[in-house]
Amino acid sequence: MRILVIEDEKRIAEAIRRSLETVGYIIDTKANFNEGFHSALNPDYDLIVLDRMLPNHTDGLEIVKLIRERKISTPVLLLSALSEVDERVEGLRAGADDYLPKPFSIKELTARIKVLLRRPKTHLGNQLSVGDLRLDSESREAVRAGRRIKLSRREYKLLNYLLHNQDRIISKAEIISHAWDADSIILPNTVEVYIGYLRKKIDKDFPDRPALIHTVFGFGYRIGEETSTTVKVID
Ligand code: CA
């Protein structure tokens, strides 16, 4: 999961970054309106944490309005020292998904982010699942057919992303942008290698169970129970 944090107060931005990175999210931070708006236009973010009061008297709420006008539907969590009910309503009307008044606890922020990211129907509590495979976001462990599967940090991020997008074809470029840091140089081959590791752990080690990770030649990958090639392509 890749999260954009638009917040000019460095101390707060760094605190958010540190705690969200320990939960396994990839964080990019921007400290002013223009850079924030520019980044928010990138539909690859899974969530945006957005401060309302930005430098030079700009209002983060305008970023929400502008991206919604452009049909960017990334969930937005607004932060603001303005905590009156009217401000909150204004934020939600503009298209934000949640509103957290400052000062807030990082714990609450993290909890609300998890809720916003928990959109797929197959998400139960801290678990994502497909077929008989479950992934626990607390223990970062996968379990298939009752057997525990140990995952490396990268494998976890990759599987987590696949499970949030099940039954959709995901390109290698998309995987790189969601499971690797912005500054790492990743070749499409690296994705193949990691898909190979995951496939060994969740499919090949369970030869009597149906394969879950499917290669869609020329496009990318898909995770799901169905092996048929007639899959939904959602753009
Ligand atoms: Ca601010």
Side-chain angles (χ1 to χ4, degrees):
M1 296 284 130
R2 178 167 222 117
I3 298 178
L4 172 64
V5 176
I6 306 172
E7 164 64 272
D8 58 312
E9 282 165 81
K10 225 177 170 177
R11 193 176 49 84
I12 298 179
E14 279 313 303
I16 295 175
R17 174 205 288 283
R18 272 199 308 277
S19 56
L20 293 182
E21 279 180 347
T22 59
V23 196
Y25 300 132
I26 295 167
I27 310 300
D28 294 331
T29 56
K30 297 292 170 200
N32 64 54
F33 188 95
N34 286 341
E35 286 184 13
F37 170 55
H38 183 76
S39 297
L41 288 175
N42 179 347
D44 279 346
Y45 284 106
D46 300 292
L47 184 112
I48 301 169
V49 175
L50 173 59
D51 184 32
R52 274 201 67 171
M53 291 196 215
L54 293 171
N56 305 317
H57 307 289
T58 50
D59 185 346
L61 198 61
E62 292 304 315
I63 294 182
V64 183
K65 290 180 187 165
L66 289 169
I67 65 168
R68 293 294 184 251
E69 276 169 24
R70 287 163 176 75
K71 307 287 176 230
I72 305 274
S73 58
T74 314
V76 174
L77 174 73
L78 272 182
L79 301 176
S80 179
L82 311 163
S83 60
E84 296 296 322
V85 173
D86 285 351
E87 308 286 349
R88 187 183 295 240
V89 169
E90 190 190 2
L92 298 174
R93 278 217 183 110
D97 299 83
D98 200 359
Y99 198 105
L100 194 56
K102 282 179 169 179
F104 56 87
S105 81
I106 291 283
K107 212 172 158 185
E108 182 175 7
L109 176 72
T110 311
R112 291 200 188 202
I113 285 174
K114 282 189 180 172
V115 169
L116 288 176
L117 289 174
R118 192 182 291 162
R119 294 215 158 151
K121 56 187 184 307
T122 44
H123 207 300
L124 298 167
N126 292 316
Q127 292 189 340
L128 281 164
S129 64
V130 60
D132 57 357
L133 175 77
R134 294 197 318 275
L135 181 68
D136 190 304
S137 66
E138 294 293 316
S139 67
R140 301 219 177 182
E141 232 178 24
V143 174
R144 182 159 198 197
R147 228 164 80 198
R148 290 168 147 210
I149 305 166
K150 280 235 166 286
L151 300 172
S152 71
R153 224 176 120 81
R154 184 73 57 205
E155 288 162 357
Y156 170 80
K157 283 188 183 177
L158 183 53
L159 183 57
N160 186 46
Y161 185 66
L162 291 175
L163 286 173
H164 268 96
N165 292 279
Q166 47 189 279
D167 290 320
R168 182 167 85 77
I169 298 169
I170 305 163
S171 70
K172 285 178 195 169
E174 218 180 312
I175 290 175
I176 292 171
S177 109
H178 290 264
W180 270 270
D181 300 305
D183 50 2
S184 41
I185 298 161
I186 302 299
L187 298 172
N189 279 351
T190 313
V191 176
E192 283 168 35
V193 169
Y194 276 90
I195 288 280
Y197 294 154
L198 260 190
R199 196 171 248 156
K200 159 133 193 5
K201 290 185 177 180
I202 73 171
D203 284 337
K204 291 194 179 145
D205 285 354
F206 297 85
D208 53 335
R209 310 294 308 155
L212 297 172
I213 297 177
H214 312 285
T215 301
V216 184
F217 290 102
F219 292 98
Y221 302 97
R222 183 176 63 83
I223 196 164
E225 278 182 288
E226 293 164 53
T227 50
S228 108
T229 49
T230 54
V231 291
K232 292 167 272 181
V233 181
I234 304 157
D235 54 31

